[in-house]
Amino acid sequence: MTGNIGEWSELYTLFKLLADGKLYAADANTNKIPEIYYDVLKVIRAQKSDKLEYCRESEVKIVNAENGKVICSVPIEKFIEQTDILLNGLKGQKKAKGAFELPEVWSFAESINCKTLKAKSQDKADIVLMVHDIMCGRDDTFGFSIKSQLGSPSTLFNASRATNFIFKLNGHMMTEREKSIFHEYKFFKDKFDYLKSLGGSIKFINTENEILNFNLKMVMPEMPNVFAEMMRVYFEGKSSSISELTDIVAESDVVHTLDNKVFLRHKVKELLTNIALGMVPNTLWTGDYEATGGYIIVKEDGDVVCYHIYNHNAFKNYLYANTRFDTPSKSKHGFGTIYEKNGEQYLKLNVQIRFLK
């Protein structure tokens, strides 16, 4: 079995939670909050052909969820041992860009009926847990999305042709020669510096995909304009940080409120939360969260912490402080080239949102 660091991290989360028996909450800086935790009662794992329950008692019982039959029982010490082995294996592959093998770990995984690294998922939940909530005193089942800090920073908002934003060139009509010079610049900051030197600028017109436009407007009617302005500022080279871009845009005339910074910070946090828990660009967003528990973070030191939707403030503040814009492939997603339509010149821009670590 081969997999990348993100995929192996999902298996690591399964091992770690069954080894520890507790899932701790985190503050906005991913620090564990010792007094807030959830007792892990079972991990529910759907695979290609079956659905298993890993029930943590005095040992871990692997149960066929369809008929309730106990397949096998494994001492908790085995999970503690394999968690350490897997963590060391992941740290040894920290710079790996592709898939790799961890034969000893996979041998143990097969012995507990794991058939894939990733559990079968049709939504943003990478792992499903039944936990005992000490705050509420009840047992609940939640789906969590898993993000690993062991490898390269993962994406929160993936780019595609559905995430193109259309801008119109104003102030100057580019000649063929000028367009050629614009396209030759490697960095967008240089492109926009050149456009500015010609007396030109860009103005947001619309998203290429109307579903994305609808989804953004679910946060507020001005959100497509706000997001587009953040993109423009990013491509001009002023900042990539989501929090910094938000404050820069707050000083523009995109929205008019009593306190633009307070207002936009709140709305951008809401957007990030929607993206994290269910909203995707090309599917109509209903407002329902799919990762019903929240986020699990696999930290660089191997610790596993969570942002539960009950602790909403810490979760949205974490997203806001730990994300940035990143430039996806121009050729793959079809943006970055000036084109003409009905005698006007236009430019498509596109971004993805990536975690800082």
Side-chain angles (χ1 to χ4, degrees):
M1 177 61 64
T2 63
N4 58 35
I5 286 183
E7 290 167 336
W8 282 107
S9 292
E10 289 197 24
L11 191 65
Y12 175 80
T13 303
L14 172 69
F15 289 4
K16 178 71 170 171
L17 293 178
L18 291 174
D20 293 353
K22 286 182 171 58
L23 176 58
Y24 285 89
D27 63 20
N29 297 310
T30 69
N31 298 311
K32 180 192 291 184
I33 305 174
E35 63 272 18
I36 302 179
Y37 61 87
Y38 309 94
D39 289 316
V40 177
L41 304 179
K42 67 174 69 173
V43 180
I44 303 161
R45 200 169 200 264
Q47 301 185 126
K48 291 179 180 179
S49 58
D50 56 20
K51 186 177 181 182
L52 302 176
E53 294 181 349
Y54 293 82
C55 305
R56 192 183 190 279
E57 299 170 3
S58 57
E59 55 187 358
V60 176
K61 292 182 180 178
I62 294 91
V63 179
N64 184 318
E66 305 298 329
N67 56 28
K69 181 181 178 181
V70 177
I71 298 169
C72 62
S73 296
V74 181
I76 290 171
E77 290 74 19
K78 279 286 185 182
F79 285 91
I80 296 172
E81 175 187 320
Q82 289 297 321
T83 297
D84 291 338
I85 293 171
L86 179 47
L87 179 60
N88 289 331
L90 288 171
K91 287 182 175 179
Q93 297 286 341
K94 202 166 185 181
K95 295 183 180 179
K97 292 185 178 180
F100 54 88
E101 294 180 352
L102 294 172
E104 182 180 354
V105 172
W106 185 245
S107 178
F108 174 72
E110 286 185 311
S111 75
I112 59 169
N113 277 53
C114 285
K115 298 174 183 176
T116 59
L117 286 179
K118 290 176 65 67
K120 183 180 178 182
S121 175
Q122 295 179 338
D123 52 37
K124 289 208 170 187
D126 296 315
I127 192 167
V128 178
L129 308 176
M130 177 182 282
V131 299
H132 176 72
D133 189 341
I134 61 169
M135 306 295 287
C136 301
R138 68 184 187 191
D139 300 342
D140 275 316
T141 301
F142 299 103
F144 289 85
S145 177
I146 299 171
K147 295 296 178 184
S148 176
Q149 295 181 348
L150 291 169
S152 300
S154 54
T155 55
L156 173 68
F157 179 78
N158 293 309
S160 67
R161 288 184 179 264
T163 58
N164 279 327
F165 282 61
I166 301 171
F167 295 80
K168 179 182 174 183
L169 270 65
N170 288 333
H172 180 76
M173 190 76 172
M174 276 194 173
T175 65
E176 290 301 315
R177 173 61 181 157
E178 289 168 344
K179 283 196 290 183
S180 178
I181 294 172
F182 179 91
H183 294 147
E184 285 173 1
Y185 282 112
K186 181 180 179 180
F187 299 107
F188 273 95
K189 182 183 183 306
D190 297 329
K191 293 177 187 287
F192 282 106
D193 284 346
Y194 176 66
L195 177 61
K196 187 176 180 180
S197 73
L198 298 174
S201 62
I202 60 171
K203 181 182 179 182
F204 173 61
I205 300 300
N206 207 345
T207 58
E208 187 168 15
N209 183 285
E210 64 178 356
I211 294 178
L212 175 60
N213 187 62
F214 174 88
N215 290 347
L216 292 173
K217 286 185 174 180
M218 285 282 281
V219 178
M220 66 172 178
E222 302 92 346
M223 185 51 77
N225 301 73
V226 169
F227 200 90
E229 184 65 8
M230 291 172 70
M231 290 173 68
R232 185 187 67 79
V233 173
Y234 163 69
F235 281 115
E236 287 181 351
K238 294 178 181 177
S239 179
S240 63
S241 161
I242 293 293
S243 58
E244 290 180 4
L245 290 170
T246 301
D247 283 354
I248 292 171
V249 172
E251 295 174 357
S252 68
D253 63 351
V254 179
V255 295
H256 301 90
T257 69
L258 185 63
D259 191 320
N260 284 353
K261 282 189 178 180
V262 170
F263 180 76
L264 282 188
R265 285 171 183 170
H266 169 68
K267 289 300 180 182
V268 170
K269 289 175 186 179
E270 183 181 338
L271 174 63
L272 295 174
T273 302
N274 289 352
I275 293 170
L277 298 180
M279 194 199 92
V280 293
N282 207 21
T283 302
L284 205 68
W285 170 240
T286 64
D288 294 329
Y289 293 151
E290 293 178 346
T292 54
Y295 259 42
I296 288 176
I297 309 295
V298 181
K299 298 175 66 175
E300 288 181 292
D301 62 1
D303 214 353
V304 171
V305 294
C306 79
Y307 292 100
H308 197 289
I309 55 172
Y310 291 166
N311 195 7
H312 188 69
N313 288 338
F315 182 47
K316 68 181 184 180
N317 288 333
Y318 160 75
L319 293 173
Y320 185 70
N322 289 280
T323 49
R324 62 178 174 87
F325 273 168
D326 188 30
T327 307
S329 167
K330 296 189 293 293
S331 57
K332 182 179 179 180
H333 303 308
F335 73 98
T337 302
I338 293 170
Y339 65 97
E340 295 191 16
K341 183 178 180 181
N342 299 327
E344 301 284 359
Q345 292 181 332
Y346 297 89
L347 175 69
K348 293 178 185 177
L349 295 177
N350 202 326
V351 293
Q352 58 193 12
I353 300 177
R354 191 177 291 277
F355 286 93
L356 296 179
K357 61 180 180 178

